[in-house]
Amino acid sequence: MATIEGEYDPKERCCGYCYAPSPQSKCAKCPRPYCSRECQVQDWKKGGHKIWCGKSGEKCIDYEIREAGDKGLGLFALRNFNGGEKILVERSVMSRLPMRGTTTSSDPNVRKAIMALAPANSNSVDAKFMANSVSLGGSEEGDKGSALFIHYSRANHDCVGNANHYYDHGIGLRLLVANRDITAGTEITFSYAGTSSCDERAMLIASRGFTCRCSACQVPEVGAKLDKLIELDRAIVILGSNGNVEAAIRAGTRLIKIYDDLELSDILYSRTYYDLFQVSITKSSTVKKGHAFIKKAYTHALKFYGRDENETVVNYKQYVEDPSAHRNYRLID
């Protein structure tokens, strides 16, 4: 990885591995740019390019970073993306992991890219990390630490959003995935608050020091749908746990309708269909419906994660092939 003179400009092309400016070469199979042969080799081995070559978007080719009004910089589509497409795939440049502490890339080009992030008035790497890092695992998974991703950090918040994201622990990469078809010129956004209630979203947004003007914050009906989404999601679990399978299925059907209305992520469809599968297979009268639900869960999961080897995809596939392998099978009758 060569040290390239000059400041990092987030709007310009840069090396796909070390973020050095003005890369002069590229991958032989796709447009991914590199500043050196060493970066290309390292990206193939450690950056996940061996898996995602030609299967994800590239900066300044498929998407760009440019001014987004009073939000500062943002991520914008340079071409049309289909729902489920991987907008970007990126390795972390800095992480804080339990029992391992903080790890930061020693490459000077990477450091320049980190220092170009908000807050603009700070020269502290820690401040950049605190403002832009994201969790590598939710509370249900236990604390898996947090990490910083350069291009991904430029995507702005929208309570509904047209994209979603995940961290693939198996390959150590953050992926940004289109929820629905995105036309060229559209800003690419996702919810910093996930599927949180209106009050929770307001608290998070206030803590980050900005005002959200998305449809959920401007149109009461849209915000109400997000709140109803949370209510119905919980209802599936509660009703199913009480043996009220038919009512749980009705709640799930209403929830899917909200996903359709808001054009939400495949990951949400996948999780809900999996919940409905787990509930439905507890009774002999709804086992057939359960099998249909797990097939849909698998289809949406594969579209979102994009790899047969993904842990969730593998898990769902085994139940598509044999629903009786699940511990809930015929649990009630």
Side-chain angles (χ1 to χ4, degrees), residues 23 56 82 105 108 117 186 191 292 297 312 331:
S56 67
N82 295 322
S105 172
L117 294 170
T186 303
S191 174
T312 299
L331 192 62

Side-chain angles (χ1 to χ4, degrees), residues 136-186:
L136 297 181
S139 58
E140 293 180 357
E141 301 170 321
D143 183 14
K144 294 187 177 181
S146 54
L148 177 64
F149 305 84
I150 298 296
H151 298 331
Y152 166 86
S153 295
R154 299 294 181 177
N156 287 313
H157 165 81
D158 184 295
C159 293
V160 178
N162 54 18
N164 209 320
H165 59 93
Y166 72 99
Y167 182 73
D168 193 322
H169 290 274
I171 54 178
L173 298 171
R174 173 74 59 179
L175 289 88
L176 187 62
V177 186
N179 288 354
R180 52 185 180 269
D181 293 352
I182 299 173
T183 57
T186 303

Side-chain angles (χ1 to χ4, degrees), residues 277-298:
F277 160 72
Q278 293 185 101
V279 169
S280 299
I281 60 171
T282 60
K283 296 178 69 174
S284 59
S285 60
T286 50
V287 162
K288 188 174 181 179
K289 287 184 178 180
H291 198 193
F293 288 140
I294 192 59
K295 288 179 179 178
K296 290 182 178 181
Y298 169 75

Side-chain angles (χ1 to χ4, degrees), residues 25 31 41 52 54-55 127-128 145 149 153 207 239 241 254 308:
S25 62
V41 171
W52 292 105
K55 300 176 184 177
K128 307 291 184 178
F149 305 84
S153 295
S207 71
L239 291 167
S241 298
R254 292 174 64 194
D308 290 321

Side-chain angles (χ1 to χ4, degrees), residues 155-222:
N156 287 313
H157 165 81
D158 184 295
C159 293
V160 178
N162 54 18
N164 209 320
H165 59 93
Y166 72 99
Y167 182 73
D168 193 322
H169 290 274
I171 54 178
L173 298 171
R174 173 74 59 179
L175 289 88
L176 187 62
V177 186
N179 288 354
R180 52 185 180 269
D181 293 352
I182 299 173
T183 57
T186 303
E187 184 176 7
I188 298 164
T189 60
F190 64 85
S191 174
Y192 292 0
T195 50
S196 302
S197 69
C198 180
D199 290 341
E200 291 171 335
R201 293 196 308 274
M203 288 178 59
L204 178 65
I205 291 167
S207 71
R208 290 191 172 233
F210 65 86
T211 300
C212 182
R213 299 186 181 88
C214 75
S215 59
C217 294
Q218 298 285 320
V219 183
E221 291 82 1
V222 177

